[in-house]
Amino acid sequence: SIARREEILRHIAGLPQYIQDDLAVIREAASEMGNQVYLVGGFVRDLLMNMPNNDLDIVVEGNGIELGRILSKKLTCDKLVLHASFGTASLIFCNGTHLDIASTRREDYDFPGALPVVEESTLREDLLRRDFTINAMALCLNEDSFGDIIDYYGGFRDLQQKEIRFLHNLSFIDDPTRMLRAIKFAVRYEFKLAKVTADAMPIALKEDVFAKISAERFTEELILIYKEAKFQRMGRELIRNGIFKAWFKADYAWNFEEAESVGEQRSLTERWLISLKNLDSNEISAVLDRLTLPKSLKRITLEYLRLKQALKLEDLTDLKNLDELLAGVPLLLFNILGSDDAYTDPLKKYRLLREGIQMKTTGKDLRQSGVREGPEIGSILKQIRLAWLEGKIRTPDEEKRYLEILLEKNDRADCIDNKPI
Ligand code: ATP
């Protein structure tokens, strides 16, 4: 309708200037090529809800690779990635915007040097391959139809009804990661799952649909969820809908219960480790086996696991052992270990003592005082640190006196060592 078109043009006029400029350049380039070009997917969805989005997804009825090349010259682009066999191009700009170009025309070569076999599809087919109606709308960018919304599947209606609805009944069977995406969008926008879509979830899970997807695909969607502001509610929904149970083949005590305002402030690593807080070591290992976490996240999870196991065996009042275990541990990990009730008090106490250490002596000082290079140096430094922790030293002066005594002892030990037999 005219009213809807005017509303959309108003939304576009409200976009940040740099995005409007990008859109104008895309439009020009497509016109020069004589192709129709559309904005599609999440950008259109968010535009209609007046929400910011810096990821432009466009579909061109023509050669996407060529359009990618032209745009990378016309827009100052930081990086251009071309996928010739898919006919897609991705551009990354220095202002943080992403532009993904897909084409409805794909050129394939039967063998190198052969003439291209052109595969044509339509915008309608492109949109039908998408996940939900609200993500399957297109917005025309060409001059004559600028701002027209193409909505074959009722996306606009579902936005108004606040519903996440898939495009066909086999959608979750075709791609089970869409179940995670459905929950993500529903919680993010405070929408409901449409009844058909909600009903299809337990049916798909019963069919063990996750068996056919890789750990990479599942992990990727899961990490996207942990990056969302409302990740804890999403996590609770994943549990409530049986997604975690179906994937991990066990009902773990995931923790998504922190106050939302606190949770939101945390880094991805903290969010992840805190969600594992109530799992025992075997369970955490099993979780790791089912996922392909990014390297750094996996490394810190393994370190967390190692410390959790070690602390269980440790006498938590033994400052020397505790210090050996925890001296080099990053603060983030330290705090997360401390959030386990069993360790809260001893770790708090240890941390206070550790913060009180004002140790001045260094290895260089010891060498200058005549201690031989070798293990003695490390051992003396450790003894001083421990004396601080245990409260035997409380001031730099006391440290000096303590050191003198240690050095005397060290000298005497040296004499004994050097005595002829
Ligand atoms: P976000 O705001 O989370 O980035 P988005 O909709 O832009 O949301 P992307 O993951 O960037 O999400 O995907 C871009 C578009 O690609 C989606 O809007 C959707 O149309 C389509 N899409 C993504 N994943 C799938 C999937 N698993 N199945 C079908 N279509 C998908």
Side-chain angles (χ1 to χ4, degrees):
S1 72
I2 294 171
R4 195 202 282 183
R5 182 149 191 267
E6 272 174 7
E7 189 191 334
I8 288 160
L9 292 176
R10 239 195 343 267
H11 284 316
I12 296 176
L15 288 171
Q17 193 56 48
Y18 64 90
I19 292 191
Q20 292 193 52
D21 294 345
D22 288 353
L23 293 183
V25 174
I26 295 168
R27 188 170 58 189
E28 259 173 54
S31 307
E32 278 168 29
M33 287 170 62
N35 292 142
Q36 290 291 317
V37 65
Y38 310 89
L39 263 173
V40 293
F43 190 90
V44 179
R45 174 199 69 215
D46 288 345
L47 178 82
L48 294 175
M49 287 198 284
N50 235 344
M51 290 189 173
N53 190 323
N54 275 337
D55 292 332
L56 298 168
D57 264 324
I58 62 174
V59 169
V60 57
E61 291 188 321
N63 188 334
I65 300 278
E66 191 188 333
L67 182 62
R69 286 215 178 91
I70 295 174
L71 288 178
S72 73
K73 286 189 197 117
K74 289 192 180 235
L75 299 163
T76 26
C77 156
D78 271 359
K79 203 169 147 196
L80 168 70
V81 183
L82 300 173
H83 298 284
S85 54
F86 293 109
T88 62
S90 298
L91 283 78
I92 298 167
F93 305 115
C94 44
N95 61 18
T97 334
H98 284 146
L99 170 62
D100 281 319
I101 303 168
S103 37
T104 54
R105 185 180 304 160
R106 216 182 294 180
E107 294 186 0
D108 253 332
Y109 298 83
D110 280 347
F111 53 88
L115 285 176
V117 183
V118 179
E119 257 184 61
E120 286 277 359
S121 67
T122 59
L123 179 68
R124 184 190 281 267
E125 283 164 343
D126 177 284
L127 295 174
L128 184 60
R129 281 195 293 269
R130 291 170 187 267
D131 48 4
F132 306 110
T133 59
I134 60 164
N135 288 342
M137 290 179 277
L139 185 135
C140 301
L141 288 181
N142 294 74
E143 196 76 60
D144 48 350
S145 47
F146 186 72
D148 279 355
I149 290 280
I150 295 178
D151 180 16
Y152 297 120
Y153 306 108
F156 199 80
R157 174 206 61 207
D158 286 335
L159 270 187
Q160 286 176 322
Q161 290 178 182
K162 298 175 176 281
E163 285 190 323
I164 307 294
R165 184 189 310 275
F166 55 32
L167 299 184
H168 58 85
N169 290 340
L170 294 181
S171 186
F172 290 154
I173 310 273
D174 286 349
D175 179 354
T177 63
R178 290 177 185 158
M179 289 187 274
L180 282 81
R181 295 176 61 84
I183 286 172
K184 176 176 79 176
F185 292 124
V187 174
R188 187 203 282 169
Y189 298 120
E190 315 227 343
F191 281 19
K192 283 206 310 262
L193 300 187
K195 187 166 184 314
V196 268
T197 308
D199 288 349
M201 224 182 251
I203 297 172
L205 293 177
K206 224 167 144 195
E207 295 285 316
D208 198 17
V209 275
F210 279 138
K212 72 173 197 184
I213 63 160
S214 67
E216 281 81 4
R217 293 269 294 112
F218 187 91
T219 308
E220 203 178 309
E221 288 297 342
L222 184 62
I223 295 282
L224 286 177
I225 285 183
Y226 272 89
K227 288 182 178 169
E228 292 277 327
K230 296 181 196 160
F231 73 101
Q232 304 197 92
R233 263 162 63 197
M234 295 173 189
R236 294 199 293 271
E237 286 300 307
L238 291 175
I239 297 168
R240 201 176 64 81
N241 286 283
I243 305 273
F244 273 172
K245 186 166 183 201
W247 180 257
F248 294 104
K249 304 272 186 244
D251 235 342
Y252 298 133
W254 293 90
N255 173 43
F256 292 108
E257 298 297 339
E258 214 174 17
E260 220 149 81
S261 55
V262 180
E264 263 183 50
Q265 322 248 325
R266 299 198 180 277
S267 67
L268 172 66
T269 312
E270 286 176 291
R271 290 174 177 200
W272 167 247
L273 290 176
I274 289 173
S275 75
L276 295 177
K277 163 181 152 182
N278 299 335
L279 274 64
D280 70 27
S281 305
N282 291 332
E283 293 170 339
I284 296 176
S285 296
V287 165
L288 286 181
D289 285 344
R290 273 302 269 153
L291 299 174
T292 50
L293 293 181
K295 253 194 202 137
S296 60
L297 199 53
K298 178 155 189 183
R299 200 177 317 125
I300 200 156
T301 313
L302 287 171
E303 176 69 356
Y304 170 66
L305 191 60
R306 185 185 73 79
L307 289 167
K308 215 171 145 82
Q309 282 166 325
L311 280 175
K312 202 163 66 180
L313 305 173
E314 210 56 61
D315 169 6
L316 296 177
T317 57
D318 184 336
L319 287 172
K320 183 163 181 273
N321 288 346
L322 219 49
D323 196 43
E324 269 174 18
L325 201 60
L326 298 171
V329 166
L331 187 61
L332 177 149
L333 213 47
F334 191 89
N335 288 340
I336 288 167
L337 287 164
S339 73
D340 186 332
D341 290 346
Y343 307 138
T344 309
D345 288 339
L347 290 201
K348 211 187 256 172
K349 188 172 155 225
Y350 163 74
R351 185 164 164 202
L352 273 177
L353 293 170
R354 189 166 101 170
E355 281 169 357
I357 298 178
Q358 305 163 44
M359 185 166 155
K360 296 276 184 295
T361 315
T362 63
K364 195 170 155 205
D365 296 336
L366 296 181
R367 278 193 300 275
Q368 280 170 356
S369 313
V371 183
R372 271 183 310 184
E373 284 285 354
E376 281 106 313
I377 293 192
S379 147
I380 294 176
L381 289 174
K382 262 193 195 156
Q383 289 178 68
I384 299 175
R385 183 178 161 89
L386 186 62
W388 270 103
L389 265 182
E390 289 175 336
K392 291 181 191 157
I393 302 176
R394 282 156 305 171
T395 64
D397 270 347
E398 287 181 7
E399 180 179 325
K400 250 189 215 159
R401 276 198 292 280
Y402 191 81
L403 176 61
E404 280 163 13
I405 298 168
L406 284 183
L407 289 175
E408 264 172 38
K409 261 199 217 159
N410 193 56
D411 277 350
R412 251 181 278 133
D414 257 5
C415 293
I416 296 164
D417 280 351
N418 295 338
K419 237 197 231 157
I421 301 170

